[in-house]
Amino acid sequence: MLTGGPSAAGGVDRGPFVAPDVAVVGAGPVGLAIAWRCAARGLRVVVHDPAPGSGASHVAAGMLAPVAEAYFGERELTALLTESAGRWPGFAAELAEATGADLGYRTEGTLVVGLTSDDLAEARRLWAYQQGLGLPVTPLRPAQLREREPGLAPRLRGGALAATDHQVDPRRLVPALRLAAERAGAVLVAEPVRRLREVRAGVTVVAAGCGAAVLTGLPVRPVKGQVLRLRAPGGGRPGFRHVIRGYADGEHVYLVPRDSGEVVVGATVEERSDLDVSAGAVLRLLRAAVDLLPELAEYDLVETVAGLRPGTPDNAPILGPLPGHPGVLVATGHHRHGIVLTPVTADLIADLVTGGGPDPLLAPFRPDRFATTGDAVPVAAGAATTPAHSTEDDSWN
Amino acid sequence: MLTGGPSAAGGVDRGPFVAPDVAVVGAGPVGLAIAWRCAARGLRVVVHDPAPGSGASHVAAGMLAPVAEAYFGERELTALLTESAGRWPGFAAELAEATGADLGYRTEGTLVVGLTSDDLAEARRLWAYQQGLGLPVTPLRPAQLREREPGLAPRLRGGALAATDHQVDPRRLVPALRLAAERAGAVLVAEPVRRLREVRAGVTVVAAGCGAAVLTGLPVRPVKGQVLRLRAPGGGRPGFRHVIRGYADGEHVYLVPRDSGEVVVGATVEERSDLDVSAGAVLRLLRAAVDLLPELAEYDLVETVAGLRPGTPDNAPILGPLPGHPGVLVATGHHRHGIVLTPVTADLIADLVTGGGPDPLLAPFRPDRFATTGDAVPVAAGAATTPAHSTEDDSWN
C-alpha cells in the first residue's frame, strides 16, 4: 500500500460512515477503470463525479493509435501508448465479460492518407520516423488504398496502413466501465469535489481531467477539440471499415466508422477553454472529410460538439504521487490519449494504490517533473491564475 | 360572401357548437394572417394546427426580397411579390400595434454580391433583367460594397444594392400573428385535419403548406431547404447590417443578420422530402458564407435544420377557390416566398371570404390553373401516389 493505509478487507461491511480505501475523483474512463481495478482487488472504492462520462470522453473518437500517433520527440509517450494499446484486447475482453457490453472495439486497422503531394511528403517524414522505432506502418500506393477502401478520393496521392491501430466507442466504454466498477463494489457519488481535503479516504486518486488543475496545482490546461458525428444515410453502415486519418491540404482529420452507422470526424486542437462550436471549425473538418471520402457529403450531420482535453506542458500524462500530499495519486493530463491509455493507467495506478512499487513505465510521467506550489491551489486563486480555464472547469466532479 | 354563407355577426356568442364562419387549416404565417384578417372583420374563426409555426416558417430566413428574387419568366409572381413587399411596412406596424411584439423587421436593404467573375457575370444578367422591369437594383463596385460592409471578402468582384429588399424574423412573426389572431377572436384548435369533410365551417381555407396536397389534390410538393444559424461571438451583434445574397463559385447563399446576434445562412433547394441535415449541404453553405464574409468562420454554429417549402409546378402560389369544392379556398404553394407573400395573401383571401370580388392580382394564381381530380385525394391514395412526400406530411394540421 502506497500511503494512507486503507484497511485490507473488501468483503467486510464496515458501515456507511467508514472512509473508503480509495476515493477516485472523476468518473471518466480513466477514473472508472481505476475504480474497477481497485474494487476488483477487494478495496472499498468511492468515485466522485456529478456527471460521469461527460468530459473529454464524451467527445472522443476512441482511436487506439500508438503507431499513427507516434510523434517526433515523444518516445517515452509512444512506449506508454504502445504498452496500453497492447493491453486493450485483454482489457476489452475482460470488460465485455464483466458486463456483457458491446464496446464497439474494432480491429480493422487504420489507413493514413495524404491528399496532395505536400500532404504525402509531410506524412512520409512521420512514417519514416515511426518505422525507425520499429512500429508497424506499411506504405501503400493509391491503388492499394482504394483496394482496401474503394470510397477514398481518386486523387489521393498515397497512404499507409497501421494495422494495429484499432478503435473503441467511448460512449459505450464509459457506461460499461461504470457497470463493471459498480458490480465490483465501487460506489458512485454524484457530488463534486471542490478541494482535496473534502475527501476522506485511505488513498485519493485525482482522475479529474482538466479539473485536476484546481485540485492539485498541476499544470493541466484545457485543449479544446471540436468533433462532428455523421450518420450513414438510410440506416446503413458506413461505406468504409478502416479508421482513416488524413492530411488534406494541410488539414489533419480523422474519420472513424462505427457499426451503428455513425462516423466520427475530428478534431480541432485549440488553446481555448470554451465549448462553442465554430462555423470555421465545422467547415474545415467537413471540407477535409469530404475531400478524402467524397461519399461523406451524402451522410447526415447529426452532431457538432466540443470538448476539453486535459493537456500538459509536455503533452504527456501525469501519473503518480502528488508531491506534498501523502495519500494522493494523480492520473490526468491524458490529452489526446485518454482512451488508449485507460488500461495501462488503471493497472499501474491500482498497483500503486495496493502498494506495488511504481512500474518503470511510470517514471517519465511522475507529477514531480513539474514544479508545483507544494500545496493545492485553492479554487478561487486557481480560477484567477488560470484565465484560460472556463468557469465550468474550475470545479470538477 | 363567397360561398357557404357564414352568418354576419362577430360579436354574438352562438355557443360552442355552432360552426365557425371560417376554418383555417394551418397555423403558419399565411394561415394565421388570414385568420387575423378574417377575425378582425368580425368573423368567427377557428384555426386547426397541432403544431403552429412548425413548418417551413420555422426554418425560413424571412427575406422580403421581391427585387433580388425577381427571376426570369416569373413576371406575374414578381408583381405579386412587389405588391406584398409594399404592404409589409404597414402590415408590420399594424401587427406590432396589435401585439406589442418586435418582429425583427429591418430595412437596411440587401447587397447582392458575386465572388468570382463568373459569379458576377451570372448576377449581372439578372440585374439587367430586374432593371428592365423597373426594379430598384443599383450595381456597386467592390470598393463601394466594402464601404457599406467592410467585412466582405476583398476578392469579391462586384455587387448590387437592392435597397428595398428588407427582412423580418419568422420566429418572431409567427407568435405575433398568433397573438393578433387570438386577440381578434380567432380560436386555435391543436388537432390535425385529415380530410376536408371533417371541417365544419362556412368557409374553409386550406393554408396547410405541403399538407395541402393530400387535402386538396393540388400539385403541391415538398422542396427541401437546409439552413444554418450562426451566432456572433461574445454575445455581440453580427458585424454586418445588410442582408447579403451571394454567388460564390456557383453556390447561391444568403446571410441574414439579426439584432440578437443570429445570422441565418441558407439555403439548399432540393427535390426531397426528408428533414435530414446533410454534411455536404452544411459544407457548401459554410464554404460559400465564409468565402463571402470571412469573419463568419469565427461565429458559433448554433443550429442546422431542414424544412420543406410547398412548391408548385410553376413555382407560384395557389390562391383562390378549390374547383369542385364550394366553400373551400386555398392559400398554399408559397414555396420560397411565404413570408414576403403573407400580407397580400391574407388581405386577398380575407376579401374572398367576405364576398369581395377576386382581386385581379389573384388571377394568375387560381387553383383551377392545375387539373385536379375534381375531388380531394383520400389520404391513403394521396400517400401512395406521391412517393416523394414523407409520411410526416401526409397529414397536416
Side-chain angles (χ1 to χ4, degrees):
Chain A
M1 191 66 55
L2 179 76
T3 54
S7 53
V12 182
D13 186 354
R14 288 158 298 181
F17 298 106
V18 175
D21 300 322
V22 184
V24 180
V25 184
V30 169
L32 289 170
I34 291 168
W36 176 37
R37 290 312 203 195
C38 288
R41 295 185 192 190
L43 300 177
R44 294 169 49 101
V45 179
V46 169
V47 185
H48 297 267
D49 198 325
S54 65
S57 69
H58 184 70
V59 177
M63 289 176 294
L64 310 173
V67 177
E69 301 212 0
Y71 296 122
F72 301 106
E74 297 184 350
R75 295 181 74 125
E76 287 160 333
L77 176 58
T78 296
L80 192 69
L81 294 170
T82 303
E83 172 65 29
S84 199
R87 297 185 188 209
W88 250 103
F91 183 83
E94 204 178 333
L95 186 54
E97 167 80 21
T99 63
D102 173 3
L103 306 175
Y105 180 65
R106 286 176 54 170
T107 59
E108 285 90 343
T110 295
L111 292 177
V112 188
V113 299
L115 185 66
T116 68
S117 51
D118 283 353
D119 292 324
L120 189 58
E122 180 187 349
R124 279 181 171 151
R125 280 188 64 232
L126 192 58
W127 299 336
Y129 167 76
Q130 292 162 348
Q131 289 174 318
L133 295 179
L135 297 173
V137 55
T138 310
L140 297 175
R141 294 190 306 276
Q144 294 173 307
L145 288 171
R146 281 194 300 279
E147 262 169 41
R148 290 184 167 268
E149 292 296 357
L152 284 169
R155 69 186 178 105
L156 285 181
R157 297 303 296 265
L161 172 66
T164 56
D165 279 0
H166 299 159
Q167 64 140 310
V168 70
D169 185 345
R171 293 185 181 175
R172 292 169 179 259
L173 172 64
V174 167
L177 282 171
R178 178 176 176 168
L179 181 60
E182 289 181 328
R183 284 189 174 170
V187 174
L188 261 78
V189 177
E191 288 186 4
V193 171
R194 300 192 186 280
R195 292 157 192 255
L196 285 183
R197 66 169 179 264
E198 294 172 10
V199 182
R200 296 268 169 265
V203 176
T204 299
V205 181
V206 180
C210 293
V214 289
L215 291 173
T216 65
L218 286 164
V220 180
R221 73 184 194 288
V223 180
K224 177 178 172 180
Q226 300 189 50
V227 172
L228 314 178
R229 279 173 166 78
L230 313 186
R231 188 164 294 283
R237 291 187 178 187
F240 61 108
R241 301 281 299 161
H242 296 78
V243 171
I244 294 172
R245 305 173 64 104
Y247 297 70
D249 279 322
E251 199 75 46
H252 294 199
V253 70
Y254 55 74
L255 314 170
V256 181
R258 310 245 197 253
D259 285 338
S260 65
E262 179 179 274
V263 174
V264 185
V265 179
T268 64
V269 179
E270 304 167 72
E271 294 291 337
R272 299 173 60 113
S273 60
D274 64 86
L275 292 174
D276 298 328
V277 172
S278 72
V282 175
L283 171 58
R284 291 198 313 276
L285 291 171
L286 284 178
R287 180 157 45 197
V290 170
D291 280 349
L292 295 176
L293 204 71
E295 73 181 46
L296 293 181
E298 305 295 323
Y299 284 40
D300 300 337
L301 175 64
V302 296
E303 186 181 326
T304 61
V305 65
L308 301 176
R309 310 173 185 93
T312 63
D314 56 7
N315 288 336
I318 306 176
L319 307 171
L322 181 64
H325 290 263
V328 177
L329 297 172
V330 178
T332 184
H334 291 73
H335 196 216
R336 300 166 49 88
H337 306 299
I339 305 299
V340 64
L341 288 177
T342 289
V344 80
T345 301
D347 291 344
L348 300 186
I349 295 291
D351 286 349
L352 288 180
V353 168
T354 53
D359 190 292
L361 269 173
L362 285 179
F365 307 108
R366 294 171 55 95
D368 61 9
R369 74 186 189 275
F370 301 116
T372 68
T373 59
D375 203 351
V377 179
V379 171
T385 57
T386 54
H389 290 219
S390 72
T391 49
E392 296 93 300
D393 299 305
D394 288 340
S395 73
W396 189 277
N397 308 316
Chain B
M1 192 65 55
L2 178 74
T3 55
S7 54
V12 181
D13 185 354
R14 286 158 299 182
F17 298 104
V18 175
D21 300 322
V22 184
V24 180
V25 183
V30 168
L32 289 169
I34 291 168
W36 177 36
R37 290 313 202 194
C38 288
R41 295 184 192 190
L43 300 177
R44 293 168 51 100
V45 179
V46 169
V47 184
H48 298 267
D49 198 325
S54 65
S57 69
H58 185 70
V59 176
M63 290 177 294
L64 311 173
V67 176
E69 301 212 2
Y71 296 122
F72 302 105
E74 297 183 351
R75 294 181 75 124
E76 287 160 333
L77 176 58
T78 296
L80 191 70
L81 294 170
T82 303
E83 172 65 30
S84 198
R87 296 184 188 209
W88 249 104
F91 183 83
E94 205 178 332
L95 187 53
E97 168 82 21
T99 63
D102 173 3
L103 307 176
Y105 180 65
R106 286 177 53 171
T107 59
E108 285 90 342
T110 295
L111 292 177
V112 188
V113 300
L115 186 66
T116 68
S117 52
D118 283 353
D119 292 324
L120 190 58
E122 181 187 349
R124 279 182 172 151
R125 280 188 64 231
L126 192 59
W127 299 336
Y129 167 75
Q130 292 162 345
Q131 289 174 319
L133 295 180
L135 297 172
V137 55
T138 310
L140 298 175
R141 293 189 306 276
Q144 293 173 308
L145 288 171
R146 282 194 300 280
E147 262 170 39
R148 290 185 169 267
E149 292 295 357
L152 284 169
R155 70 186 176 106
L156 284 181
R157 296 303 295 268
L161 173 66
T164 56
D165 278 1
H166 300 158
Q167 64 140 309
V168 70
D169 185 344
R171 292 185 181 176
R172 293 170 178 258
L173 172 64
V174 166
L177 282 171
R178 178 176 176 166
L179 181 59
E182 290 181 328
R183 283 190 175 170
V187 175
L188 261 78
V189 177
E191 290 185 2
V193 171
R194 299 190 187 281
R195 293 160 192 252
L196 285 183
R197 66 169 180 263
E198 294 172 9
V199 182
R200 296 267 169 267
V203 176
T204 299
V205 181
V206 180
C210 293
V214 289
L215 291 172
T216 65
L218 287 164
V220 180
R221 73 184 194 287
V223 180
K224 178 177 171 179
Q226 300 189 50
V227 171
L228 314 177
R229 280 173 165 78
L230 312 185
R231 189 164 294 282
R237 291 187 179 189
F240 62 108
R241 301 281 297 163
H242 296 77
V243 170
I244 295 173
R245 303 174 66 103
Y247 297 71
D249 280 321
E251 199 76 46
H252 294 198
V253 70
Y254 56 74
L255 314 170
V256 181
R258 311 246 197 250
D259 285 338
S260 65
E262 179 180 273
V263 174
V264 184
V265 178
T268 64
V269 179
E270 304 168 70
E271 295 291 336
R272 298 173 62 111
S273 60
D274 64 86
L275 292 173
D276 298 329
V277 172
S278 72
V282 175
L283 170 58
R284 291 199 312 276
L285 291 171
L286 284 178
R287 179 157 46 196
V290 170
D291 280 348
L292 295 176
L293 204 72
E295 72 182 46
L296 293 181
E298 305 296 322
Y299 285 40
D300 300 337
L301 175 62
V302 295
E303 185 181 327
T304 60
V305 64
L308 300 176
R309 310 174 186 92
T312 63
D314 57 6
N315 288 334
I318 306 176
L319 307 172
L322 181 64
H325 290 263
V328 177
L329 298 172
V330 178
T332 186
H334 290 74
H335 197 214
R336 298 166 50 90
H337 306 298
I339 306 298
V340 64
L341 289 178
T342 290
V344 80
T345 301
D347 292 343
L348 300 187
I349 295 291
D351 287 349
L352 289 181
V353 169
T354 54
D359 191 292
L361 270 173
L362 286 180
F365 307 108
R366 294 170 56 94
D368 60 12
R369 74 186 189 275
F370 300 116
T372 68
T373 60
D375 202 350
V377 179
V379 171
T385 57
T386 54
H389 289 217
S390 73
T391 50
E392 297 93 300
D393 298 306
D394 287 340
S395 70
W396 187 276
N397 306 317

